[in-house]
Amino acid sequence: MRFIDAGVEYQGFWGSFWDLIWWFLWAFIFVSYLFALFAIISDLFHDTKLSGGWKAVWIFFLIFFPIITALVYLIARGKGMGDRQVAAAQQYKAAQDDYIKSVAGTSPADQIAQAKSLLDSGAISHAEFETLKAKALS
């Protein structure tokens, strides 16, 4: 579809393959910038060592000089960003492992001890104890 405005002919969005390629390239760059911006803002608010005043300065510059500030932040504080993300991931994994251990039940040694107490009390036979012991050790 062609448009004519003041003697200039426009082909529209689907007019040229290269126009479409350029549009997708700019869309990719914009989305990449948004990901970086949200990562920077998230890192700013998760950093406990940075004071509130410095956080406000970074936010101010991110608003008024966004691309330059994002590049400076990633260069100046990028290593710290990675370290904080690794620490948060390790903390999350430790909490998840503790939860799994608490939900999963007892250790094999505890299961054998419980089976032994049942055997001693006469609730189960020796064959049942051996079955429970083999199950706990497997």
Side-chain angles (χ1 to χ4, degrees):
M1 176 180 268
R2 297 179 185 265
F3 302 102
I4 298 176
D5 183 25
V8 179
E9 184 177 339
Y10 297 101
Q11 293 181 345
F13 182 74
W14 298 101
S16 168
F17 174 74
W18 294 110
D19 289 342
L20 187 63
I21 295 295
W22 275 111
W23 185 87
F24 276 113
L25 177 68
W26 282 111
F28 175 77
I29 290 171
F30 179 71
V31 170
S32 299
Y33 169 72
L34 287 180
F35 272 102
L37 182 67
F38 291 133
I40 290 169
I41 291 172
S42 173
D43 182 64
L44 275 173
F45 287 107
H46 285 105
D47 188 4
T48 57
K49 295 178 185 174
L50 192 64
S51 70
W54 283 111
K55 290 178 184 181
V57 168
W58 278 111
I59 295 293
F60 173 82
F61 280 104
L62 277 171
I63 291 170
F64 291 107
F65 305 104
I67 295 174
I68 293 171
T69 306
L71 290 174
V72 169
Y73 188 90
L74 292 174
I75 292 168
R77 298 181 47 92
K79 185 176 181 338
M81 268 178 91
D83 294 342
R84 282 185 289 280
Q85 287 180 352
V86 167
Q90 288 173 346
Q91 182 181 11
Y92 177 77
K93 185 179 180 334
Q96 185 179 22
D97 289 344
D98 290 342
Y99 174 74
I100 289 171
K101 286 178 185 175
S102 71
V103 174
T106 58
S107 69
D110 292 337
Q111 291 176 359
I112 292 172
Q114 289 173 353
K116 178 68 173 157
S117 67
L118 289 173
L119 177 65
D120 293 341
S121 70
I124 60 173
S125 68
H126 188 69
E128 291 172 323
F129 170 74
E130 291 299 326
T131 303
L132 290 174
K133 182 178 171 183
K135 184 178 177 184
L137 291 175
S138 63

